[in-house]
Amino acid sequence: DIQMTQSPASLSASLEEIVTITCQASQDIGNYLSWYQQKPGKSPQLLIHSATSLADGVPSRFSGSRSGTQYSLKINRLQVEDTGIYYCLQHYSAPWTFGGGTKLELK
Amino acid sequence: EVQLQESGPGLVKPSQSLSLTCSVTGYSITSNYWDWIRKFPGNKMEWTGYISYSGSTRYNPSLKSRISITRDTSKNQFFLQLNSVTTEDTATYYCARYKLAGTYFDYWGQGVMVTVSS
């Protein structure tokens, strides 16, 4: 199975701060990487697909990037509504595997 | 609008079978892929498997021969059965649509929490 190592596991940041979450794949997964946000009691919501493409309706302060087998989710100017748990997911090779999640809180 | 809704018992006894239904509205399950994903206490997420538009299936090898995903196209529903459950199968179970053209999960159900306990 492809391992997705996500960091940090938790993060506390201030309003308007820039936040970066990373996922390291254990092997090449191309651009078969998506990012999801999950709020308490809700289902995950797609933010980024194909490593760098913003999903419909997602604010432009979210962006995704790739450097080799390292993938990053960046949130510019953190807002209150951005708190929650963030997951990366690889779907290059079954079984699809998730990162361990990053819990983002406001400082 | 595409909507998915999970249903099923919230409590299952160890060694018994877990059976869940995902009812889909607004889109036919004879297109794209339809998956089951679970989230364990402590936030770990695990993909369990899918059934495709054609009815083919693929499962997470970690579940070995315990899992089965089937469908009823006349009702636009698909199902998860997990046999011989243990307390380690306690999780919130989500059904989701995997959009093949974009390769991502774009629609999710709200999730159903299943506890395995005697």
Side-chain angles (χ1 to χ4, degrees):
Chain A
D1 297 2
I2 296 175
Q3 306 301 315
M4 300 301 295
T5 304
Q6 186 171 342
S7 61
S10 64
L11 179 57
S12 181
S14 303
L15 274 175
E16 303 286 315
E17 191 173 333
I18 298 173
V19 168
T20 301
I21 299 167
T22 63
C23 272
Q24 178 69 50
S26 60
Q27 64 183 74
D28 178 38
I29 61 169
N31 286 330
Y32 290 88
L33 188 285
S34 48
W35 290 96
Y36 300 84
Q37 175 197 61
Q38 186 173 32
K39 294 182 177 291
K42 302 292 186 181
S43 57
Q45 298 295 307
L46 177 69
L47 297 174
I48 300 288
H49 65 87
S50 307
T52 60
S53 297
L54 193 67
D56 291 344
V58 175
S60 59
R61 63 179 180 273
F62 291 90
S63 64
S65 63
R66 171 192 175 190
S67 177
T69 57
Q70 181 166 290
Y71 300 80
S72 298
L73 173 70
K74 183 178 178 181
I75 310 174
N76 281 314
R77 302 184 63 189
L78 187 70
Q79 302 298 301
V80 172
E81 60 267 30
D82 298 336
T83 58
I85 302 176
Y86 291 79
Y87 294 95
C88 64
L89 167 68
Q90 71 80 18
H91 32 88
Y92 174 80
S93 174
W96 317 145
T97 46
F98 289 85
T102 295
K103 187 173 184 179
L104 175 59
E105 297 177 328
L106 272 178
K107 194 179 291 182
Chain B
E1 184 187 2
V2 181
Q3 293 187 322
L4 293 82
Q5 175 82 48
E6 304 91 346
S7 59
L11 181 64
V12 181
K13 294 185 186 303
S15 80
Q16 294 189 343
S17 293
L18 178 162
S19 296
L20 299 176
T21 297
C22 183
S23 300
V24 180
T25 58
Y27 198 88
S28 172
I29 64 169
T30 58
S31 295
N32 284 291
Y33 286 62
W34 304 89
D35 296 56
W36 287 97
I37 295 156
R38 60 184 182 174
K39 181 177 178 178
F40 299 102
N43 296 328
K44 177 186 173 183
M45 297 275 277
E46 181 181 70
W47 171 79
T48 70
Y50 69 65
I51 188 163
S52 77
Y53 54 90
S54 66
S56 64
T57 55
R58 191 161 193 174
Y59 303 130
N60 192 322
S62 69
L63 296 170
K64 298 179 182 177
S65 58
R66 296 197 297 132
I67 186 173
S68 176
I69 299 176
T70 57
R71 67 178 183 172
D72 183 339
T73 56
S74 68
K75 294 182 178 179
N76 218 37
Q77 296 175 325
F78 63 106
F79 313 99
L80 171 69
Q81 181 170 319
L82 189 61
N83 299 322
S84 306
V85 297
T86 71
T87 55
E88 294 188 352
D89 293 310
T90 293
T92 298
Y93 287 76
Y94 298 94
C95 57
R97 184 180 85 167
Y98 183 78
K99 188 170 182 180
L100 187 57
T103 64
Y104 48 78
F105 293 112
D106 56 354
Y107 291 97
W108 297 65
Q110 86 287 351
V112 58
M113 186 169 179
V114 179
T115 301
V116 179
S117 174
S118 55

